[in-house]
Amino acid sequence: MVAPLNLHEDRLFSSDPTQRAIARRLYAEVRHLPIISPHGHTNPQWFADNIPFSDPAKLFITPDHYIYRMLYSQGIALESLGIPRIDGGAVETDSRTIWRLFARHWYLFRGTPSQIWFHHVLYEVFGIRETLTEESADRIYDEIAERLRSPEYLPRSLFERFNIEVLSTTETPLDPLAHHKKLRASGWKGRIVPTYRPDSVVDPEFEGFAGNIRQLGEITGEDTSRWPGYLAALAERRRFFASLGATATDHGHSSAATFDLPSSECEALLKKALAGEMTAGEAERFRGQMLTEMARMSIEDGLVMQLHPGSYRNHNRDVFRGFGRDTGADIPMRTDYVHDLKPLLDRFGNDPRLSIILFTLDETAYSRELAPLAGHYPVLKLGPAWWFYDSPEGMRYYRERVTETAGFYNTVGFNDDTRAFPSIPARHDVARRMDCAFLARLAAEHRLEEEDAREIAVDLAYRLAKKAYRL
Ligand SMILES: [Zn+2]
């Protein structure tokens, strides 16, 4: 028995007929626009080597902590989903077994954005026309596996079919960017650029910090045990990233704290950090100083800064010990922006050369802190609803809370932040639909001319991301 899979044409639009009719018209203007994906975590090697994705489980489940965090929450062991253990201990390796386990528990994702994205991918990307159940699991697995073996499903072919104009990946400054070099040399037209993410070399509490700084010194030939050499090394890696197309940096600190300390204190903090003798407060000062240093470097080299604070990383101690970071155990925290960003803003907040994009996992900060900050400081813009709020309700709430203070033009369009490459069109489609739905409401309430709404819809879907990320 086959239960059909359907994507409704009006999904995510208001059920009010007036609003729905406007939303349809707006969406028709943006649905086929090229995708700008200025922040994400896809693997550049996929496109550099252009070899087939191996199988449905390795495509959809093992790389995607959105998926397995939910399964884990319902008592499914990460080992049984094929998530590699740090100690090399046994985990499930049979992809079909992993897929069946996923299918048996697919109902857990009802009402979540993962379900919307996954249905979109099944339907639009793989042409699947039945819902995923325990009974259909093998059929769907075989259909997807067969498609993955055909040339139309190679990474570069999908990139072209998805109409991606530019895609950013995320790398540490220690990364030699070999895949990006290979991509550039290949002559392929697809535009994929790196993003400079220095957490591992600016956060003294990051695993292996001292070794990372040593390595940074080896790569750059700078004396990274001293403050001036350390800064010079970071600046040099930024230039290297920019030479391969990077236009942005990304900073995943736990708070938005910034500091502007005298260099004697910076030198002393670096020494302590390398010796592993820091208190939590000193580590916070060091990270906060590094944001200010990164802002200074951005003014020099033009890279746009992204701040992604507010995640308590690796909250589950046992999962962190067993499986490492990025395993679905990151939990949002209350985040202060008004006090924490002030030292940086005092120094650079009015410099027209600087651009900082703020994200949050603390929704209470939208109207109280973030929209007023971005609605005033020329250097600040607001990133889209992010991570747990990259969802229909998250997007709606975001527009409702920030638009009246920051407008549309202190926001930067959408970014998908995804690890799951085939879901990129699905995620952008949700964002485009939700923005059209929001604009349709304003138009239906005669707060916005439909003509203006049409222009804004195109800006939100395409132009603003390009402009904000200097792509
Ligand atoms: Zn990210």
Side-chain angles (χ1 to χ4, degrees), residues 261-306:
L261 306 171
S263 54
S264 56
E265 186 178 346
C266 298
E267 184 81 55
L269 283 172
L270 177 62
K271 213 167 165 186
K272 282 188 169 185
L274 293 176
E277 290 167 352
M278 271 192 152
T279 65
E282 286 167 337
E284 183 78 341
R285 286 171 82 74
F286 189 88
R287 280 190 296 268
Q289 178 66 27
M290 289 317 297
L291 284 183
T292 307
E293 298 295 345
M294 288 287 135
R296 180 179 56 72
M297 292 180 201
S298 277
I299 287 170
E300 284 160 17
D301 61 25
L303 296 183
V304 173
M305 282 181 88
Q306 302 171 87

Side-chain angles (χ1 to χ4, degrees), residues 301-317:
D301 61 25
L303 296 183
V304 173
M305 282 181 88
Q306 302 171 87
L307 261 49
H308 284 92
S311 177
Y312 191 125
R313 305 264 171 188
N314 315 310
H315 193 274
N316 187 326
R317 193 188 54 193

Side-chain angles (χ1 to χ4, degrees), residues 3-258:
L5 176 66
N6 288 308
L7 291 186
H8 199 284
E9 256 309 291
D10 290 328
R11 61 191 182 280
L12 302 173
F13 296 158
S14 170
S15 56
D16 170 74
T18 310
Q19 288 188 39
R20 188 171 53 211
I22 300 171
R24 281 178 185 156
R25 291 197 288 276
L26 297 176
Y27 178 66
E29 303 280 328
V30 300
R31 72 181 302 172
H32 297 302
L33 287 174
I35 287 176
I36 307 288
S37 177
H39 175 107
H41 302 271
T42 53
N43 185 348
Q45 187 175 9
W46 295 336
F47 310 101
D49 294 348
N50 200 34
I51 53 176
F53 292 109
S54 52
D55 63 66
K58 292 206 181 66
L59 189 57
F60 291 112
I61 303 166
T62 29
D64 193 349
H65 59 66
Y66 285 75
I67 293 291
Y68 59 76
R69 78 187 302 280
M70 175 70 94
L71 299 169
Y72 185 77
S73 78
Q74 288 280 319
I76 296 166
L78 294 178
E79 287 88 344
S80 65
L81 294 163
I83 311 304
R85 288 191 58 90
I86 285 177
D87 63 9
V91 303
E92 181 59 61
T93 54
D94 181 56
S95 288
R96 191 181 288 272
T97 305
I98 294 169
W99 181 261
R100 285 176 182 158
L101 182 65
F102 170 61
R104 193 151 68 240
H105 295 90
W106 176 234
Y107 70 94
L108 297 174
F109 293 88
R110 288 169 177 163
T112 70
S114 293
Q115 185 190 43
I116 301 175
W117 299 326
F118 190 65
H119 280 169
H120 184 120
V121 173
L122 286 182
Y123 193 96
E124 293 284 354
V125 181
F126 290 97
I128 305 294
R129 291 292 180 269
E130 61 175 321
T131 53
L132 181 64
T133 61
E134 194 170 3
E135 194 271 323
S136 68
D138 277 354
R139 278 197 303 277
I140 293 179
Y141 184 97
D142 290 333
E143 274 191 69
I144 296 173
E146 191 192 316
R147 303 230 157 93
L148 289 177
R149 284 190 292 272
S150 72
E152 299 83 48
Y153 285 81
L154 287 173
R156 289 184 187 180
S157 308
L158 286 176
F159 185 98
E160 286 158 8
R161 177 174 150 200
F162 292 167
N163 197 15
I164 299 174
E165 187 173 308
V166 55
L167 175 77
S168 303
T169 59
T170 305
E171 288 86 8
T172 86
L174 304 177
D175 193 309
L177 303 184
H179 305 304
H180 286 275
K181 283 183 182 163
K182 187 173 172 184
L183 269 168
R184 293 217 144 192
S186 74
W188 178 54
K189 289 196 309 299
R191 186 171 169 210
I192 297 178
V193 301
T195 301
Y196 184 90
R197 172 122 182 200
D199 300 357
S200 62
V201 289
V202 302
D203 176 2
E205 293 176 319
F206 205 98
E207 310 90 82
F209 177 75
N212 294 344
I213 300 308
R214 224 175 5 255
Q215 204 188 332
L216 181 67
E218 282 158 18
I219 295 169
T220 57
E222 297 284 348
D223 178 6
T224 51
S225 67
R226 304 294 309 278
W227 182 245
Y230 169 63
L231 294 184
L234 291 170
E236 189 192 314
R237 293 310 281 170
R238 292 172 62 109
R239 285 192 293 275
F240 171 64
F241 272 58
S243 77
L244 287 168
T247 67
T249 69
D250 184 28
H251 306 275
H253 297 189
S254 56
S255 79
T258 62

